[in-house]
Amino acid sequence: MLRIAVPNKGSLAETAAGMLVEAGYLTRTDPKALHLIDARNDVEFFYLRPRDIATYVGSGALDAGVTGRDLLLDSASQATEVAALDFADSTFRFAGPVGRFSQLIDLDGMRVATSYTGLVGDFLARHGVSVELVKLDGAVESAVDLGVADAVADVVSTGTTLRNAGLEIFGPVILDSTAVVISAPEQKLGTEVLLRRLQGVLVARRYVLMDYDLPASLLERATDVAHGMESPTVSPLKDPDWVAVRVMVPRKDMNQIMDALYGLGARAILVSAIHAARL
């Protein structure tokens, strides 16, 4: 069986579990369960702390897993990222007292508090900046006010939490992170099936099917508006001057595409959700 690590809590857990269900896998019914066998799909799921998943997969104890890119890089494990899943996005930045720091080199010789010492240490080493890293498990933004650090490196969304702590963001982006699928150093047979299924879920979320009728003479212009993955599917209608067209379009653009096609002369424009896909 393919042995897959899944986050058991935190921001990654619920969305990861939902994606796996959409991909056709079983999910645990007991939130405290740590192990689940999905015999129909020939996989075993292990529900672990997100921070530990890269370590288990990198050691080869498990074959694949879902975790954050930040946690993978911070772990220094031998696991490899094989696909991005486009959720749990985050950005890592440096922050310090207002007006004290303006560029990365200003941190040289300073104390920097973070929950990601591996990730931040590697970044600073690549840029030739030497600091004393202070490892904290949470509430990193309080480290400067409490006197244990001169600056911090942490996840930033709106920056409100840092501003409320009297800090401002400076220097380059440390990392843009997202949820990822990771694999053991020797990728096991079956991992490709997992990847295809999850990528099919992403396609189903990003795209819709659009059907419409159109005068055949306008087909080339309509194709310029919505060209599909390769090209549209075109079928004849009873009226030889008209055709029926089916095409995949990005979900986020569907209303603009519908407007453009209607303006061009298309009628009976219908949109359908995609529940699963293999491209």
Side-chain angles (χ1 to χ4, degrees):
M1 285 187 169
L2 189 71
R3 296 156 62 87
I4 304 171
V6 184
N8 66 349
K9 60 182 179 180
S11 60
L12 293 166
E14 184 175 351
T15 306
M19 285 194 73
L20 287 166
V21 169
E22 288 184 55
Y25 295 104
L26 291 180
T27 189
R28 61 181 180 175
T29 55
D30 179 358
K32 295 183 180 179
L34 300 179
H35 179 234
L36 172 68
I37 294 179
D38 183 349
R40 182 178 181 184
N41 290 296
D42 201 31
V43 300
E44 287 184 85
F45 292 109
F46 296 82
Y47 295 87
L48 305 171
R49 290 178 66 245
R51 184 169 282 279
D52 295 335
I53 287 175
T55 300
Y56 281 105
V57 175
S59 71
L62 299 179
D63 305 309
V66 177
T67 189
R69 181 179 291 145
D70 53 336
L71 296 172
L72 170 63
L73 295 177
D74 193 58
S75 72
S77 96
Q78 296 300 305
T80 57
E81 176 182 331
V82 291
L85 295 177
D86 293 351
F87 71 90
D89 294 345
S90 59
T91 302
F92 285 75
R93 300 293 303 271
F94 293 103
V98 177
R100 183 171 180 186
F101 302 102
S102 62
Q103 52 188 340
L104 192 60
I105 194 62
D106 296 338
L107 286 174
D108 203 55
M110 299 292 176
R111 299 168 300 166
V112 177
T114 183
S115 300
Y116 296 81
T117 52
L119 173 64
V120 174
D122 288 346
F123 180 86
L124 290 169
R126 291 197 304 271
H127 289 80
V129 177
S130 178
V131 305
E132 177 188 344
L133 289 173
V134 180
K135 170 72 172 178
L136 296 176
D137 286 332
V140 171
E141 67 277 359
S142 301
V144 175
D145 187 51
L146 293 175
V148 299
D150 303 296
V152 302
D154 202 11
V155 176
V156 176
S157 52
T158 64
T160 300
T161 301
L162 293 173
R163 286 193 295 272
N164 289 342
L167 305 176
E168 67 176 358
I169 296 168
F170 69 92
V173 172
I174 302 168
L175 177 71
D176 288 316
S177 184
T178 192
V180 296
V181 180
I182 61 174
S183 170
E186 294 185 11
Q187 192 173 111
K188 184 175 178 179
L189 185 67
T191 303
E192 285 298 323
V193 174
L194 171 68
L195 290 176
R196 281 197 301 271
R197 288 194 179 193
L198 290 175
Q199 287 164 350
V201 172
L202 292 176
V203 170
R205 291 180 174 184
R206 293 171 184 162
Y207 290 87
V208 294
L209 281 176
M210 187 171 292
D211 292 275
Y212 60 91
D213 296 342
L214 182 82
S217 61
L218 299 175
L219 183 58
E220 289 301 321
R221 292 171 63 187
T223 302
D224 290 338
V225 174
H227 51 75
M229 300 300 290
E230 281 85 20
S231 65
T233 299
V234 181
S235 304
L237 294 176
K238 183 177 181 181
D239 185 336
D241 293 330
W242 283 68
V243 291
V245 182
R246 166 167 283 191
V247 65
M248 284 177 61
V249 301
R251 182 182 295 271
K252 64 183 178 63
D253 299 328
M254 65 180 179
N255 283 294
Q256 289 83 356
I257 291 172
M258 290 175 75
D259 292 339
L261 289 172
Y262 189 90
L264 185 62
R267 295 295 182 265
I269 307 172
L270 304 175
V271 172
S272 305
I274 299 172
H275 296 291
R278 299 289 187 275
L279 299 183

